[in-house]
Amino acid sequence: MAELQSWTDGPTKSAIVDFVGRVTAEGGPEYVAPEARVAVFDNDGTLWCEKPMYIQLDFIIRRLAEKAAADSTLVDQQPYKAASSGDLNWFGGAITKHYQGDDTDLKVLAGAVMSLHESMKVEDHAARVSGFFADAKHPTLGRPYPACTYVPMVELLRYLEGNGFTCYIVSGGGRDFMRPITSTIYGIPPERVVGSAQGLRFEGQDGIGDLLIRPALDVFDDGPEKPVRIWNRIGRRPILSAGNSNGDDEMLIYSGRPDRPSLRLLVLHDDDEREFAYTAGAERALEHAKTYGWTVVSMKNDWSAVFSA
């Protein structure tokens, strides 16, 4: 199979190939040892589809609707009301407003989400997530969610690994939502998934212990928290980073240093025929891409295919 075969020949593909060539050329001025070839990727909107809503949000909405069906007192409260009526605009609006600086609705949503899996064992939660991915489909594309990954980005993961890079997912999405599926769809094992997470507590009895989910946020891995989590979890500054929104801005900034090579990729959703076209929630990142010379990846122009056939 040809390398990066779903990438159209042009400046963007050339920037990737040229960068990898420079950092892997032993004896060259920009050579980077394999152990320092760290690449970090956002997930939602960078590796898989995030519209008309995050895939994890679909999982959450289904769980909220189940909870409202079991407790009629919740039906008229947000976000249970929106979940029960299928009002996706309320959820999408909460996310967009967050990236524009307004967390009012996101806080309401977060409060409900924290209580959804309270005291559930982490393995039971993983099984529930796996069951979701086995059955659920994208609401408008009609594709199973595992088939909503971007083929060119998966090719990029393989290309980088073939050149001595270690790739990590660093996402605002839930760590324990991504881990059950990332090995299958990306070839990224659970230990290389960094994301938002609820708190956990240990419970042991008769020599057997379990981790149970607490109804509290441990970390929200978004914006300036992403570089902090990268250092805490990986212990190295990436030389390649890829994102698509304002929530990835700080991660891309952190990946660059004037004294060493770096490549920052910003995925632009500009293909409303094969996927979606939008820039809401990415305004600051796009402005920084222009200012700092980051590589903007046009879905429309740089990818000959978006999804698998």
Side-chain angles (χ1 to χ4, degrees):
M1 180 183 296
E3 294 178 333
L4 302 178
Q5 65 175 359
S6 297
W7 291 76
T8 304
D9 290 337
T12 300
K13 182 177 181 179
S14 294
I16 295 170
V17 173
D18 176 68
F19 172 75
V20 171
R22 286 186 284 116
V23 300
T24 58
E26 293 192 46
E30 295 185 288
Y31 175 74
V32 175
E35 61 269 21
R37 294 178 204 161
V38 171
V40 293
F41 290 78
D42 171 56
N43 188 41
D44 296 295
T46 301
L47 294 178
W48 72 20
C49 185
E50 66 177 357
K51 294 294 183 180
M53 60 181 171
Y54 291 160
I55 295 176
Q56 184 174 0
L57 185 56
D58 189 4
F59 173 74
I60 289 169
I61 289 172
R62 294 173 192 233
R63 294 286 294 128
L64 289 170
E66 289 173 6
K67 190 169 183 178
D71 184 353
S72 60
T73 64
L74 298 175
V75 174
D76 292 326
Q77 302 177 31
Q78 294 292 22
Y80 304 99
K81 181 179 179 180
S84 299
S85 64
D87 181 10
L88 302 183
N89 290 329
W90 187 89
F91 292 97
I95 302 300
T96 297
K97 285 199 289 186
H98 160 68
Y99 284 124
Q100 294 175 337
D102 180 359
D103 282 344
T104 304
D105 289 344
L106 188 65
K107 289 179 179 178
V108 172
L109 175 59
V113 170
M114 289 299 102
S115 66
L116 275 179
H117 304 105
E118 182 177 355
S119 297
M120 182 179 288
K121 295 178 183 179
V122 291
E123 291 87 358
D124 291 341
H125 179 267
R128 188 180 289 270
V129 171
S130 295
F132 167 80
F133 277 107
D135 297 329
K137 290 187 177 182
H138 190 280
T140 61
L141 297 174
R143 306 173 65 87
Y145 276 130
C148 290
T149 58
Y150 303 137
V151 169
M153 296 303 285
V154 176
E155 290 175 359
L156 179 57
L157 292 172
R158 299 289 85 77
Y159 176 68
L160 293 172
E161 290 171 354
N163 282 280
F165 281 75
T166 303
C167 299
Y168 294 81
I169 294 174
V170 181
S171 173
R175 173 197 66 200
D176 294 328
F177 178 75
M178 294 181 287
R179 281 180 170 175
I181 195 69
T182 57
S183 290
T184 300
I185 62 176
Y186 302 137
I188 301 293
E191 63 269 21
R192 286 198 262 125
V193 175
V194 181
S196 299
Q198 286 186 235
L200 302 172
R201 64 181 175 86
F202 175 79
E203 186 176 272
Q205 187 175 5
D206 298 327
I208 298 174
D210 288 297
L211 290 176
L212 307 182
I213 297 172
R214 296 176 56 241
L217 184 66
D218 180 30
V219 63
F220 183 35
D221 188 36
D222 193 59
E225 187 65 26
K226 284 196 173 189
V228 174
R229 296 288 290 165
I230 288 170
W231 183 256
N232 284 346
R233 287 288 307 279
I234 302 172
R236 292 184 183 273
R237 187 190 295 261
I239 64 170
L240 186 151
S241 56
N244 80 298
S245 76
N246 294 340
D248 305 313
D249 195 39
E250 289 84 358
M251 179 175 76
L252 271 66
I253 291 172
Y254 178 63
S255 300
R257 294 290 295 172
D259 58 344
R260 64 175 206 159
S262 63
L263 180 67
R264 275 75 68 82
L265 303 174
L266 188 69
V267 176
L268 175 63
H269 295 264
D270 59 353
D271 193 334
D272 57 0
E273 291 187 7
R274 297 183 298 177
E275 204 239 12
F276 301 93
Y278 60 95
T279 57
E283 301 89 347
R284 172 163 48 92
L286 286 167
E287 187 60 35
H288 281 167
K290 185 185 302 182
T291 301
Y292 303 130
W294 300 346
T295 300
V296 175
V297 179
S298 165
M299 280 191 168
K300 184 176 182 179
N301 299 319
D302 293 323
W303 293 354
S304 61
V306 176
F307 305 113
S308 59

